Amino acid sequence: MFLAILSLAGVSFAIAFLATLSVRSIAIRIGFVDKPGHRKIHSKPKALGGGIAIYLAIALPMLAGLIFLNTVTITPTPTAGQTAADRARNSLALHQSGIRDHTRLAIALIGAITSMHLLGLWDDRKALGPYLKLILQLAITTALVVFFDLRALTVLGPVPSIILSVLWIAGITNAFNFLDNMDGLSAGVGAVSATAFLITTLTMSQPQWFVAAVLALLLGALLGFLCFNFNPATIFMGDSGSLVLGFILGALTIRTTFIPVGTPPAAGWYPLFAPLVVLAVPLYDLIVVSAIRIRRGKSPFVGDTNHLSHRLVARGMSRRTAVLCIYLMTAATSIAAVLLVHVESTYGAMLIMLQTLLVLGLVALLEQHPLPHPED
């Protein structure tokens, strides 16, 4: 089954790579580009629509897999003289009924991802107002949470659970939307985060194959797109990609069962913080940038150049170095989160949380630089 999961990443990588090539060419021909000016840091028009490639690399394999697994019954092969392909086939046969049980949620997730993608495309093309975009995001998220029972901390009761779930998914969605401000930044941080969650879901005492499969598709899609988006980028993902990226990570972290069924509430609750630890840097950027804007009397949804990446560049880093620095910060917290799900002592969990806080403290020190002057 591990081989099948990894092969999904390879499939989505190939789709994203080829689709990005095609989208880039078409976007330039039809004038679907991000032009320099205002708060933009690029000096030449860059193709938009990279989010289309990311979306296709995730949605197409999901749809194909669902159709195949719900229409074809896989029969296991004899155990004698098995090849790697035979072992993968037998693993799929063993888990086929469980995968079929996730069909309803998978279709709902595809529908929600599609809605987010179309919302992002609309915004990339017509520049929707931030509040209308937020309202539509909340509507899509609420529909998935309420009608398909995608809820976190259900022990708190239905209403608090729904509210927390919607706020979490919307928060992560916008964190990656905010993070999409420099070549390769959002996609790279997303790839690091997806890798951490993928390792987590595969190494837990009860591996979660559905979540792992979607994470593998997301990881492959982001890596395929990054071949063209890393500095110097020749195409941007736009909101059509960043909204999908953040939404998937937000939804899947809720869908993941970090605490094994039957574990007493007072014991082993530390893994619940794993998503916060993995996504600590994107959430830090979201919170700090929003606070700066509000303090200046601006809407937190109006773009500027006060993001962590911009402030690191203002400190003297090159843009590529700033992006790589943020990759490493995210990797540092992600490694801690992978360990957190296996920690059984309060002492170990406290050390991991302390490490995360120290990384964020380092981030705060690195970006201590006079803020850019408010734009006229």
Side-chain angles (χ1 to χ4, degrees), residues 205-220:
S205 58
Q206 298 174 345
Q208 297 172 54
W209 302 115
F210 171 73
V211 175
V214 182
L215 285 169
L217 291 174
L218 175 62
L219 175 60

Side-chain angles (χ1 to χ4, degrees), residues 109-190:
L109 186 59
I110 293 172
I113 292 170
T114 302
S115 300
M116 281 290 182
H117 175 63
L118 293 176
L119 172 61
L121 271 180
W122 186 10
D123 186 56
D124 289 336
R125 194 67 178 173
K126 299 293 184 181
L128 299 175
Y131 294 104
L132 174 59
K133 186 167 69 171
L134 179 61
I135 290 171
L136 293 175
Q137 287 177 30
L138 291 173
I140 295 168
T141 302
T142 302
L144 183 66
V145 169
V146 173
F147 297 113
F148 296 93
D149 201 28
L150 189 71
R151 305 176 191 177
L153 299 176
T154 53
V155 69
L156 299 177
V159 175
S161 176
I162 289 172
I163 293 173
L164 284 174
S165 300
V166 170
L167 291 178
W168 171 257
I169 297 175
I172 301 305
T173 300
N174 283 286
F176 279 92
N177 187 225
F178 275 35
L179 208 60
D180 188 27
N181 58 68
M182 203 164 281
D183 292 357
L185 182 54
S186 189
V189 171

